[in-house]
Amino acid sequence: MTTPLVAIRSVSKAFGEFVALKQVSLDVWTGEVLCLIGASGSGKTTLLRCINQLTTIDSGGIWLDGELLGMREQGGRLHRLGEREIARQRLKTGMVFQRFNLFPHKTALENIVEGPVQVQGRPAAEARAEALELLRRVGLAAKADWHPSQLSGGQQQRVAIARALAMKPMLMLFDEPTSALDPELVGEVLAVMKELAQSGMTMMVVTHELGFAREVADRVVYMDQGAIVEQGAAPEVLGAPREARTKAFLSAVI
């Protein structure tokens, strides 16, 4: 394996005067679970949103599976892709947000089937069978016909994970997927994510759940003020950090 699945090179992003990302470079390898940690506003979520092309970068480049995201080179210059091409590239990633964003008028099963049928044009019967299997995988086979209002927050987030997986992404992005949940519901979502990691899915996870990062992450990246301060194996970064800023952050949250 000589090329990373995700190659981020010198990516910067500002929102007015606020610089969210400063010359960030990072590789993510196929099958790797990478956890991004850091205080709120450190750039973690912005980085995920840039990978999923929900936020447009100001400079630098991001490659997924060898393809430059959002741009194409023509005549020695870079040109922004059209929305259709960006949507095609976005299908390679699945993203799970803090809020579940399920369609309230659709059942759990219908929420999962929607994308494969409407976006990918897959046969409804095939999509339904796969959706039922995904519901079983996240422990919700008995809730297929329930609407979001009938489900707990943890159950809704597990449906959201199944919905993202239904698109068969090569990369899963998780943006603090447990932060909106009551404490007693966090474990059920993390259990699904652990199983997903063990299955070999490539995952980038923004999280404050350091126990999860310690147990599941192949690598931990600590960000502060839009930059990567430290990265390495989970036991090293979380157990014996080298940088003063990493030490200060960990001492404040542990």
Side-chain angles (χ1 to χ4, degrees):
M1 190 167 55
T2 56
T3 57
L5 180 65
V6 185
I8 300 165
R9 296 291 180 266
S10 302
V11 166
S12 295
K13 177 63 184 180
F15 299 95
E17 295 295 310
F18 176 69
V19 180
L21 296 173
K22 302 173 186 174
Q23 295 285 308
V24 171
S25 293
L26 182 67
D27 289 337
V28 184
W29 299 89
T30 300
E32 183 175 32
V33 178
L34 186 143
C35 283
L36 297 156
I37 64 170
S40 296
S42 59
K44 310 179 304 295
T45 292
T46 300
L47 185 59
L48 288 199
R49 290 179 63 86
C50 288
I51 295 169
N52 206 39
Q53 301 192 69
L54 297 172
T55 296
T56 305
I57 65 176
D58 294 334
S59 61
I62 302 174
W63 286 259
L64 175 59
D65 194 30
E67 183 179 13
L68 179 62
L69 297 181
M71 309 289 285
R72 73 174 186 278
E73 190 171 353
Q74 186 174 334
R77 300 186 64 176
L78 290 174
H79 300 267
R80 181 86 178 143
L81 293 179
E83 282 304 315
R84 180 174 294 182
E85 277 295 292
I86 289 174
R88 178 190 62 77
Q89 290 185 336
R90 196 178 283 138
L91 290 176
K92 295 182 178 182
T93 61
M95 190 157 181
V96 178
F97 301 87
Q98 295 179 32
R99 296 290 173 180
F100 327 120
N101 299 324
L102 298 177
F103 295 116
H105 60 289
K106 292 183 180 292
T107 65
L109 181 66
E110 289 168 343
N111 265 279
I112 297 168
V113 167
E114 179 80 7
V117 172
Q118 299 300 325
V119 178
Q120 295 180 326
R122 284 156 56 189
E126 173 190 308
R128 179 183 171 85
E130 291 184 5
L132 287 169
E133 173 57 26
L134 285 169
L135 281 170
R136 185 202 60 75
R137 185 174 177 183
V138 301
L140 292 173
K143 311 286 188 185
D145 295 325
W146 290 35
H147 286 80
S149 62
Q150 299 172 288
L151 301 172
S152 71
Q155 290 169 335
Q156 289 185 63
Q157 192 63 296
R158 284 187 278 158
V159 173
I161 293 172
R163 179 179 61 181
L165 290 173
M167 304 298 283
K168 302 184 184 298
M170 58 178 54
L171 170 69
M172 284 287 287
L173 306 171
F174 293 88
D175 182 18
E176 296 188 33
T178 60
S179 64
L181 300 178
D182 293 331
E184 67 271 17
L185 302 176
V186 169
E188 64 189 55
V189 173
L190 293 181
V192 170
M193 294 172 64
K194 288 175 187 176
E195 187 276 329
L196 194 58
Q198 289 163 359
S199 75
M201 174 61 75
T202 310
M203 298 164 58
M204 295 181 70
V205 185
V206 171
T207 185
H208 293 293
E209 301 287 343
L210 297 186
F212 170 82
R214 189 175 289 108
E215 183 180 350
V216 178
D218 296 299
R219 193 156 38 114
V220 171
V221 173
Y222 169 62
M223 294 185 68
D224 186 38
Q225 298 180 352
I228 293 175
V229 175
E230 186 167 351
Q231 61 175 301
E236 296 171 4
V237 175
L238 299 176
R242 299 183 306 273
E243 301 293 331
R245 278 190 282 172
T246 316
K247 294 175 182 176
F249 170 76
L250 291 173
S251 66
V253 299
I254 293 177

